[in-house]
Every structure is written in C-alpha cells, then in structure tokens.
Amino acid sequence: MTLRERLLEILPGLLPAHPQDAIKGTELIARVRAVLGGEYSDHSLRSQFSFIALDPDSCLARIENGQGYYLRSGRDDSLQSIFGSGADAEREGGSPQHRLLALLVRLYDTTGLGVFVYPAEDGDSWEHPDLVAVQWPAGHWAADGAYEMDSTDAPRHARFRAVCTVVADSAESARAGFFRALACGRWAHECELVVIPAVDAAVQTELADLAAAYGVGVRLLDVKDADAMPRADAIFRMPADQARELLAAIPQTVLSQPRPHAALDTRAAESLPATAPVLAWADSCLQRGRLEPFEMRVAVN
C-alpha cells in the first residue's frame, strides 16, 4: 500500500469535521504518526497532504487563503450517516445491529460521557471495541451547546471505558463476547461487556465469575426484539429525557462493575492500532478544552 493510499484510509478519522476547528500541518503530522509511526519524513507527509487536498473528491480540505486542514464537506466516514436520515441511512438505520449501537450511545451519553463510536462491521472486531465512553475533566456547557472544560494550568486528562456488546444466543457466544471485551479494552482505564438479551442464570454465574477474575464490567440489557425499537437515527436524535425513558423501559442487570486501572496501558494501546484515532481525537479535545455538540456523541473515526 502506498503512502497516499494509507493516508486516504486513516485521514477521515484524524481530521476535524468543521473548518473552524481546522488543524495545522504539524498537528496533523503528529496524529498521522500516532497511527503510522515514524516510517515517513515530515516532508513526505506534507507533500502528500498538499497533493491530496488538491483533489476535490478526497477527504482532505485545506483552509482557503490560510493554514489548516479539516474533513471535506460532503464526506462522512463516521456513523453520522448511520444515525442520520435519508437514502444513504435507510438500510443501516433500520437494522437491529445499528439500533443496538445507537442504544448503547445513548446509554452512555445520557450519563454525561462523551462517546467515540467505531463503524459497525459485519463481524465482531478483535482490534477495537464497539465504542469508547470518555469521562472528561470538569467543565460547563457553553451558550452554543458545546462542552467547555474549566481553565487550568495543569495538564488535562480523560478516562476511557472500552465497551463491547454481544448478542448472546448461547453460553459459548457470551463467553466469546467476554474475552473480546477483555482483549479490546485492556488498554483503557476500564472495560465493559454489554450482553443482549439477558442470558439464563447459569450463563450469568459464569460471566460473574469471569468478571471477578479479570475486572471486566458486565451489564445485561433484556432487549428481546431489536426490530421493535425505533430506528437508529431516531434513537440517536432523541432528547436526553426521551432516551432515558427508552432505556428505563429495558430491564437491566449489572453483574459486575468494571475494575478501574490507574493509567492507560500504552503498550497495549500500541499493539492495537485502531485505538490511535480515539486517543488522537480525545487529545485534540483536551488540548483545545472544548467538545463540539456532535463530538459528545459520535466522533469521526
């Protein structure tokens, strides 16, 4: 794979979505290096940025008569298209998989956590969790609806909870979901498995024993018929009070709380390259001390 091809693959997850949040080439190079490492020189990366930005069909746009790069309007490689409306979202928004994913977004964002969502795939990924819930430093809501972190001279830090879900139709699938959560979340401060639907008592006991041994949180959502829920875009765009009502109507059982780690496991994060975009996104938010309203739910990834 050429450098250009590699950049076109990863840039949508590293670029801010709005021109007003455009980042300079130096910061974009740092984000690219978090994913690709130091294989390419700064000159090679800057040259490719310039060539790619000249292509009107590419994901990379540059501020006119100024400095800074952002995600080109009209391209959306995040789950905005799934949680949106219109023809492009018709199939995805109505699928059980995406309904459940939207439900999980609301499960965490209605408790005040930022949510980074990975694109839903046909099969379960062992390279990344389904989403990452982020606890931000103390702050307040600005007049424009964005979350602004309190000013401080000390470095800002966030805490990450890696979350996986499994539709458990057997003890074996529930067990596989548990170890996937453990594998995909070992870099984070804590990790959690959400099991849908609720499983029988014997499987619950096994999951509780595994959770006690490995420190993984386990939550059961008794969603018996995902098709009966609203579409993914409707769930995603519900007001917080309405989303809480929907969640309150779904029986939940917490088998175990996640056992927190004091710090990120950087070695584990480096062994899972798919964690780089969420860490780069969070670092960008921390550096500017601000999260746009859209970012509070779904980050471009």
Side-chain angles (χ1 to χ4, degrees), residues 230-301:
R231 286 174 48 87
D233 54 307
I235 294 172
F236 176 70
R237 300 191 182 284
M238 282 179 179
D241 289 345
Q242 188 178 350
R244 291 190 185 100
E245 289 179 7
L246 175 63
L247 291 163
I250 299 172
Q252 297 189 36
T253 302
V254 177
L255 294 183
S256 64
Q257 294 288 353
R259 186 185 306 153
H261 304 291
L264 291 177
D265 187 333
T266 54
R267 181 178 177 182
E270 289 171 357
S271 71
L272 295 170
T275 64
V278 67
L279 294 176
W281 164 72
D283 183 64
S284 174
C285 295
L286 293 168
Q287 289 294 327
R288 68 175 184 265
R290 178 181 173 89
L291 287 80
E292 300 304 320
F294 177 69
E295 290 179 309
M296 287 301 294
R297 292 191 184 171
V298 182
V300 174
N301 54 73

Side-chain angles (χ1 to χ4, degrees), residues 28-46:
L28 184 55
I29 287 173
R31 295 188 183 189
V32 167
R33 290 201 187 286
V35 181
L36 299 184
E39 183 178 352
Y40 302 99
S41 68
D42 287 6
H43 176 73
S44 296
L45 293 173
R46 289 184 184 277

Side-chain angles (χ1 to χ4, degrees), residues 161-186:
R161 176 182 293 191
V163 182
C164 289
T165 185
V166 61
V167 179
D169 54 10
S170 66
E172 182 179 355
S173 62
R175 192 179 303 118
F178 179 90
F179 284 105
R180 176 180 170 244
L182 181 63
C184 294
R186 67 186 188 273

Side-chain angles (χ1 to χ4, degrees), residues 157-222:
H157 300 283
R159 291 189 61 83
F160 300 90
R161 176 182 293 191
V163 182
C164 289
T165 185
V166 61
V167 179
D169 54 10
S170 66
E172 182 179 355
S173 62
R175 192 179 303 118
F178 179 90
F179 284 105
R180 176 180 170 244
L182 181 63
C184 294
R186 67 186 188 273
W187 59 273
H189 293 98
E190 54 191 47
C191 62
E192 183 172 34
L193 173 68
V194 179
V195 182
I196 302 169
V199 289
D200 62 33
V203 177
Q204 289 189 34
T205 298
E206 180 177 358
L207 289 174
D209 289 344
L210 288 169
Y214 293 101
V216 176
V218 179
R219 183 194 306 256
L220 311 179
L221 296 186
D222 197 6

Side-chain angles (χ1 to χ4, degrees), residues 41-59:
S41 68
D42 287 6
H43 176 73
S44 296
L45 293 173
R46 289 184 184 277
S47 297
Q48 286 298 326
F49 295 161
S50 297
F51 288 129
I52 293 173
L54 291 173
D55 180 356
D57 295 323
S58 76
C59 61

